[in-house]
Amino acid sequence: MKWKVAAVIPNWNGAGRLKRCLESLQTQTRRFDEVIVVDNGSTDGSAELAQVRLERNRGFAVAVNRGITAAAGADWIAILNNDVVLHPRWLELLLDSPAPSRRSAPPDSGADFEMLTGRTLQMHQPGVLDGAGDALSLGLAAARLGHGAPDDEPYDRPRPVFGVCFAAALINAEVFRRVGVLEERFFAYLEDAEFCLRAQLAGYRAWYEPMAVAWHEGSATSGRNMGGEMSANVVEWMTTNQLLLAARYADGEMWSRVATVQALWAARMIMRGRFGPWGRGVTAALRQWSAMRDAFPVDHAAVIPLLREAEKLIRRDMCGKDLFWRFYFS
């Protein structure tokens, strides 16, 4: 079957990076049928490359959603950051993997998985992983699996994962039609984690295909200062969105884990001199708490076993490597 595949690339002042990303799309052995750049009010000239232009910076989630709407006729939609470069066979390998082919296959073979991602390497350290799929803990802290690990075992093997990072992911368009698009209360960060949890609750699954390689600069648009620390904006957005995840999905036994996550996060931010942005994030989340909690019904009984399984991926990948997760799992 000939799939129609669209690429959606949100952009804000991405001159240079966006051009580099688009050039990598032109070299694909399986070409995209449509490329949609959604510009968020750029002032650096990069808006000239966009097919959809917003009047101001509305955030990552809004820009992606406008791109999904513009790609209405696509069977599969790739969501790509403007600071990503794709290997020439990235799209071919994902489309030729068992997941989209719908072939009869044994369990855990990748058949009938609707959210796909490949092996993403760090742009400036190509021997180091940026990510190999995502997961979400019972305390609603997100983890990028394999982040910072050497590009080696066990990340050279395909496997099911909980979610896909929207730096470079391929999603069956039917998922968006059934579960909706990205949550626009999330200006940036964790919108992919929320979407993947919503999709998992609807019965959709995610697959990691290591042969499909991408390189990611990481936080190029909004992320880190010259010392490598998270910017004030990112701290505020991450704080807000962690709490909004809790507002929507936490229940019962999850609350103690959420409290642990928030205490660890607050301590980390305060120790790094980010008390102000952290406080602004908490305030922003509290203003939206009720609206997020009441947005739509959630089957909390189904959330808990899903996140228990996702925690197993995090424990295997992260425990012992990162102080945050060592404290969490203790």
Side-chain angles (χ1 to χ4, degrees), residues 8-246:
V8 171
I9 308 171
N11 176 67
W12 182 64
N13 290 334
R17 293 188 299 272
L18 176 60
K19 184 173 182 290
R20 181 182 63 191
C21 177
L22 291 172
E23 287 172 350
S24 77
L25 269 62
Q26 292 298 316
T27 68
Q28 292 294 295
T29 54
R30 198 296 193 184
R31 300 291 288 273
F32 287 93
D33 299 286
E34 188 175 18
V35 176
I36 303 166
V37 176
V38 183
D39 188 72
N40 253 329
S42 294
T43 57
D44 65 347
S46 57
E48 297 175 2
L49 299 172
Q51 287 69 44
V52 178
R53 300 186 187 184
L54 305 180
E55 71 285 357
R56 57 185 174 84
N57 189 359
R58 301 282 304 280
F60 182 90
V62 170
V64 168
N65 289 348
R66 299 303 180 272
I68 292 169
T69 299
D75 300 300
W76 291 82
I77 298 175
I79 299 175
L80 306 170
N81 279 10
N82 64 5
D83 61 345
V84 159
V85 171
L86 302 181
H87 185 278
R89 297 189 66 203
W90 185 85
L91 182 57
E92 174 195 352
L93 288 165
L94 287 182
L95 288 176
D96 285 347
S97 70
S101 71
R102 301 299 191 260
R103 291 196 298 265
S104 175
D108 293 338
S109 68
D112 292 338
F113 284 70
E114 297 87 0
M115 299 182 288
L116 312 175
T117 191
R119 189 166 90 253
T120 306
L121 304 174
Q122 295 185 17
M123 183 80 71
H124 302 302
Q125 298 184 86
V128 177
L129 281 165
D130 184 69
D134 283 2
L136 198 59
S137 74
L138 200 58
L140 295 169
R144 186 170 297 175
L145 302 173
H147 181 72
D151 180 22
D152 203 344
E153 296 182 350
Y155 306 106
D156 57 351
R157 296 191 292 271
R159 60 174 178 168
V161 289
F162 173 81
V164 295
C165 173
F166 280 6
L170 185 65
I171 313 293
N172 191 310
E174 180 61 27
V175 184
F176 296 116
R177 287 190 285 267
R178 181 172 172 192
V179 308
V181 292
L182 304 193
E183 171 55 71
E184 294 186 0
R185 292 181 182 87
F186 289 32
F187 183 88
Y189 295 94
L190 299 180
E191 66 289 305
D192 47 6
E194 191 281 330
F195 176 83
C196 289
L197 176 52
R198 202 170 356 125
Q200 286 272 359
L201 288 169
Y204 294 110
R205 298 179 294 166
W207 185 257
Y208 167 67
E209 173 49 67
M211 295 296 291
V213 176
W215 294 267
H216 184 209
E217 189 172 341
S219 302
T221 298
S222 59
R224 298 183 182 273
N225 61 27
M226 294 300 290
E229 290 290 329
M230 284 185 288
S231 71
N233 281 341
V234 173
V235 171
E236 182 176 343
W237 296 332
M238 289 281 286
T239 302
T240 298
N241 296 346
Q242 285 180 28
L243 289 167
L244 291 181
L245 272 175

Side-chain angles (χ1 to χ4, degrees), residues 242-260:
Q242 285 180 28
L243 289 167
L244 291 181
L245 272 175
R248 175 164 289 177
Y249 294 106
D251 195 53
E253 67 182 85
M254 293 176 63
W255 285 114
S256 62
R257 302 288 190 97
V258 170
T260 298

